[in-house]
Amino acid sequence: AQSVSQHNHHVILSEAASLELGCNYSYGGTVNLFWYVQYPGQHLQLLLKYFSGDPLVKGIKGFEAEFIKSKFSFNLRKPSVQWSDTAEYFCAVNAAGNTGKLIFGQGTTLQVKP
Amino acid sequence: EAGVAQSPRYKIIEKRQSVAFWCNPISGHATLYWYQQILGQGPKLLIQFQNNGVVDDSQLPKDRFSAERLKGVDSTLKIQPAKLEDSAVYLCASSPRGGTGVNYGYTFGSGTRLTVV
């Protein structure tokens, strides 16, 4: 069965620090990969996605993620976080060519201190 | 463009009672999803509709959960009877096309937070 693992449950950073959130998945076939963000009191929003091509994808608000197929990883990065990045971050996987089902990781809560 | 509308936002019920949640997807979106998000976990797909047909309901506890999508537009998710472990946020999402759906992007609603006491 497919699964997604996010390494960090709770991350606390100061503003301007660099961010890397880990995500690993288990699935042997072709995958579509996503990072979603949920700001306090708001709905899930797509940060970025990877379907094919360049494994380094750029998303909104300065976020980027790198797909490393050999490591089954899709880590999220941001060079310099802001207080407004405080939110919960979810990695998700879809088995390409299958239904639209997303398998989510358990989420990482990011707290950025001003 | 209006987003995915869900109601109610919050619901508190006693165990063994029944409850229903409503979702209105973005106009023209063929695919509709219901996810369950338990506190501290990521969302888990309960059921996926393509127009008014069910694509995937493998993780829907069919002894107590039911869902329908009348005329391929609005959808209702029902729990009867509710258990304590059903306490969660129920998220509805829609995407514009058929097939895999994800290629064309999901839009999530704000969810309904259910507390079963």
Side-chain angles (χ1 to χ4, degrees):
Chain A
Q2 300 165 47
S3 66
V4 177
S5 175
Q6 293 183 235
H7 311 308
N8 315 97
H9 294 289
H10 198 162
V11 174
I12 302 174
L13 296 173
S14 298
E15 276 193 315
S18 64
L19 170 72
E20 180 159 3
L21 301 181
C23 173
N24 285 89
Y25 66 93
S26 67
Y27 181 69
T30 303
V31 292
N32 300 315
L33 299 159
F34 306 82
W35 275 97
Y36 281 87
V37 61
Q38 189 168 29
Y39 298 103
Q42 296 188 26
H43 59 274
L44 280 165
Q45 299 173 43
L46 182 66
L47 267 181
L48 47 79
K49 60 187 177 184
Y50 171 81
F51 287 167
S52 63
D54 188 344
L56 184 63
V57 293
K58 295 190 184 299
I60 60 172
K61 305 186 180 187
F63 286 91
E64 65 178 30
E66 184 176 14
F67 171 48
I68 303 179
K69 189 175 181 179
S70 60
K71 295 184 177 180
F72 298 89
S73 70
F74 190 55
N75 293 352
L76 181 71
R77 299 194 291 250
K78 186 171 184 179
S80 175
V81 295
Q82 301 172 326
W83 176 79
S84 58
D85 293 325
T86 295
E88 191 156 19
Y89 292 81
F90 293 93
C91 180
V93 169
N94 163 260
N98 206 329
T99 68
K101 178 179 181 178
L102 292 178
I103 306 292
F104 284 85
Q106 69 270 41
T108 297
T109 301
L110 172 65
Q111 183 182 351
V112 180
K113 294 183 174 180
Chain B
E1 176 180 75
V4 175
Q6 290 189 246
S7 68
R9 287 297 307 275
Y10 306 93
K11 190 74 176 178
I12 301 174
I13 62 171
E14 295 182 350
K15 59 184 179 183
R16 291 188 288 273
Q17 284 187 324
S18 63
V19 65
F21 314 125
W22 173 81
C23 172
N24 185 13
I26 291 175
S27 178
H29 279 198
T31 311
L32 185 147
Y33 310 82
W34 283 102
Y35 283 82
Q36 179 193 55
Q37 185 177 11
I38 293 172
L39 187 64
Q41 300 181 21
K44 181 185 79 173
L45 181 71
L46 292 176
I47 189 167
Q48 176 184 346
F49 291 96
Q50 180 68 30
N51 296 309
N52 61 352
V54 175
V55 174
D56 183 351
D57 64 355
S58 58
Q59 297 196 81
L60 186 74
K62 299 180 186 64
D63 58 334
R64 297 183 300 106
F65 286 64
S66 65
E68 60 182 6
R69 189 181 184 197
L70 300 176
K71 301 180 181 178
V73 183
D74 293 7
S75 178
T76 303
L77 177 69
K78 296 179 181 177
I79 308 175
Q80 182 179 10
K83 294 184 175 181
L84 296 176
E85 57 261 37
D86 298 332
S87 294
V89 176
Y90 291 85
L91 298 168
C92 181
S94 68
S95 64
R97 298 287 185 93
T100 62
V102 293
N103 291 4
Y104 306 99
Y106 268 51
T107 301
F108 281 90
S110 297
T112 295
R113 182 176 297 278
L114 173 67
T115 302
V116 182
V117 298

